[in-house]
Amino acid sequence: MRELAIEGVPNDATFLHAFDSLEALRVDAHGAPFDLRVLREVPNLRRLSIVAAKIAGLLFIGEVHRLDVLEISHCVAGDVDPVLSHRNVTALRLAAIDGVRSIRAVADNTVLRVLELDRLLHLDSLAPLGTLHSLQSLALRELWQFNVGDAHCIVGLNGLRRLAVDIGGARKNVEIVKQMRLPPAEPFDADDYDLTTS
């Protein structure tokens, strides 16, 4: 089996060791705790989507060496620095994660190609995005606390091929999109992401 979707989180997730060829895992925890240390049981994991979980063991994510696509959505996760600085993740979506204030750990990441930041309402700055010169697709969704000046850092990203901007007001979004003249970024879908292009 190469792909597995789990609804809810069993008390003992070590059953994952039975799926040693698993490459894609989608977990909808329905608000339950999910400890990422169980991913030790999945050595070939390349795509991971975690929804509605209280995440523990996030520091361990860096030890999931083959991970290429990562989505964390509607979760309580604490410090996301280990996610932002992962050395192999080329496609990343962070959405509606309680308490995310900084993305400084993503600065100068040279492997990240696709990034979507969605409803991170406590995020304090977009400036680190200006250092992501390998980025090809960027989506900023419902980041209404920012203005054009805050998002101006992305104008110098010459490698961008797709862009979606939803910051504080329609006129502000249009101003940035007109400057960049790029087609819109596709909505992130961990299941559809083509690993052969990464």
Side-chain angles (χ1 to χ4, degrees):
M1 180 181 294
R2 293 194 175 181
E3 298 184 12
L4 177 65
I6 302 173
E7 288 281 330
V9 179
N11 290 334
D12 182 7
T14 57
F15 74 90
L16 289 171
H17 77 275
F19 303 103
D20 57 358
S21 61
L22 195 64
E23 293 182 1
L25 176 63
R26 179 178 287 276
V27 177
D28 187 342
H30 298 290
F34 182 62
D35 193 330
L36 295 189
R37 286 172 282 207
V38 302
L39 298 179
R40 288 186 178 117
E41 309 290 339
V42 193
N44 295 308
L45 189 64
R46 296 192 64 197
R47 275 184 272 182
L48 176 63
S49 177
I50 305 171
V51 178
K54 294 175 184 169
I55 296 176
L58 196 58
L59 278 172
F60 175 72
I61 199 72
E63 295 180 40
V64 185
H65 299 295
R66 297 193 64 182
L67 195 61
D68 188 42
V69 180
L70 177 59
E71 175 183 34
I72 300 176
S73 176
H74 294 83
C75 290
V76 177
D79 182 6
V80 295
D81 285 1
V83 171
L84 295 167
S85 59
H86 196 289
R87 284 176 273 170
N88 294 323
V89 170
T90 61
L92 174 63
R93 178 177 186 248
L94 300 177
I97 302 173
D98 286 352
V100 173
R101 300 192 182 286
S102 171
I103 57 168
R104 288 178 190 87
V106 82
D108 299 312
N109 184 316
T110 58
V111 297
L112 199 58
R113 303 287 183 268
V114 177
L115 178 62
E116 181 171 312
L117 302 176
D118 186 351
R119 285 164 285 168
L120 302 177
L121 302 180
H122 302 288
L123 192 61
D124 63 2
S125 174
L126 297 174
L129 299 179
T131 69
L132 302 180
H133 296 289
S134 298
L135 209 58
Q136 296 171 3
S137 177
L138 175 64
L140 305 176
R141 303 191 193 278
E142 295 188 36
L143 296 180
W144 298 326
Q145 68 269 39
F146 297 112
N147 60 40
V148 173
D150 297 321
H152 195 264
C153 59
I154 66 175
V155 173
L157 296 178
N158 297 325
L160 272 184
R161 297 178 188 160
R162 294 188 166 272
L163 176 66
V165 177
D166 182 14
I167 59 173
R171 273 186 265 168
K172 296 175 184 178
N173 301 335
V174 169
E175 187 173 331
I176 294 170
V177 170
K178 277 185 177 177
Q179 256 187 305
M180 300 290 288
R181 297 182 185 191
L182 294 171
E186 300 287 333
F188 192 99
D189 188 336
D191 290 334
D192 288 341
Y193 189 76
D194 184 0
L195 296 173
T196 62
T197 63
S198 58

